[in-house]
Amino acid sequence: VDRKDSSIIAAISLYNWISKNIAVATSIQSNDTTSSGIAQTETLPDISSANDIYSTLLTKKGNEKSASALYVFLLKQLGIDSKVVSGWSGEAFRTWNMVCLNNKWYHCDIYSEQKASDGEGLSYFGMTKSEIKDSISVSEICTGAFKWYTEKTPNASSKKFKDFRDVQSFSINSERNGIEGYTKEFSRFMWEI
């Protein structure tokens, strides 16, 4: 990321880098139980030594919280305001980010992006509050009614990034002022920043 990049290009570049390069796991509990009655968790890579920003960056693996904290840390180095946000959906606890771009707040879910597209897409970048609630409540891991855990979450109502939902892969153009994306149907899509 170049410090001269627009905040949007910088935020997308860092989101993309973390999604592609950091193995992110979650400790979300499902409603399924083992024969012993203990709730099962998702099969995860070994992240026992990578639960903070420094370890996550060095080992390139971490949990939702450490990956979200890393994203905030890197964005703040570029002067971009951001937050780590957490929430409950039924019995599941989730963590993701909010990023302020051009004075508007957006939700960004690195973990869901990595699961959906191996970090190649932008389906979970720049979501509104209703989009993040929908994406979490209907996921295969999180079930039940969604309740906010973090208080005073900024309102995220703009639809600026809605066109990104179907982007399965993308690249930033050579002038670093736009994005060229490809949808599920492999149709090309240009988006100027």
Side-chain angles (χ1 to χ4, degrees):
V1 176
D2 189 323
R3 282 190 177 266
K4 296 176 191 167
D5 282 343
S6 75
S7 59
I8 295 171
I9 291 290
I12 288 173
S13 297
L14 289 172
Y15 174 87
N16 178 242
W17 186 88
I18 293 172
S19 296
K20 285 172 130 178
N21 294 290
I22 305 291
V24 182
T26 185
S27 57
I28 293 174
Q29 291 188 341
S30 71
N31 292 331
D32 299 330
T33 57
T34 63
S35 58
S36 64
I38 298 171
Q40 294 177 332
T41 57
E42 179 185 1
T43 303
L44 307 173
D46 178 17
I47 58 166
S48 56
S49 64
N51 57 12
D52 60 53
I53 295 171
Y54 182 71
S55 299
T56 296
L57 194 54
L58 284 181
T59 63
K60 293 195 175 174
K61 57 186 176 180
N63 56 35
E64 282 182 326
K65 291 177 188 175
S66 66
S68 294
L70 175 62
Y71 189 41
V72 166
F73 174 77
L74 295 173
L75 288 170
K76 291 203 182 241
Q77 303 313 301
L78 297 170
I80 299 171
D81 197 9
S82 56
K83 299 177 181 298
V84 174
V85 189
S86 300
W88 287 96
S89 178
E91 296 298 314
F93 185 75
R94 289 291 316 277
T95 303
W96 64 96
N97 293 96
M98 289 193 78
V99 180
C100 187
L101 303 169
N102 297 334
N103 298 315
K104 292 183 182 174
W105 285 93
Y106 302 93
H107 295 273
C108 299
D109 188 348
I110 290 168
Y111 171 76
S112 293
E113 191 72 63
Q114 194 171 78
K115 280 195 74 156
S117 70
D118 293 328
E120 297 289 336
L122 291 170
S123 297
Y124 296 90
F125 181 87
M127 293 187 290
T128 64
K129 189 172 186 175
S130 63
E131 287 172 325
I132 193 77
K133 285 172 66 176
D134 289 346
S135 73
I136 288 176
S137 64
V138 299
S139 76
E140 61 198 38
I141 298 169
C142 301
T143 58
F146 186 89
K147 294 179 182 173
W148 290 107
Y149 179 74
T150 305
E151 293 183 10
K152 298 181 182 175
T153 304
N155 188 26
S157 60
S158 175
K159 302 278 185 190
K160 184 174 184 74
F161 298 101
K162 189 174 182 178
D163 290 339
F164 285 163
R165 297 301 162 255
D166 293 329
V167 173
Q168 292 297 295
S169 65
F170 72 96
S171 60
I172 295 171
N173 66 0
S174 58
E175 294 84 24
R176 297 192 66 79
N177 64 0
I179 294 170
E180 183 175 299
Y182 295 89
T183 66
K184 294 173 187 172
E185 296 79 29
F186 299 102
S187 55
R188 187 168 171 267
F189 156 137
M190 273 301 289
W191 200 80
E192 276 190 43
I193 302 296

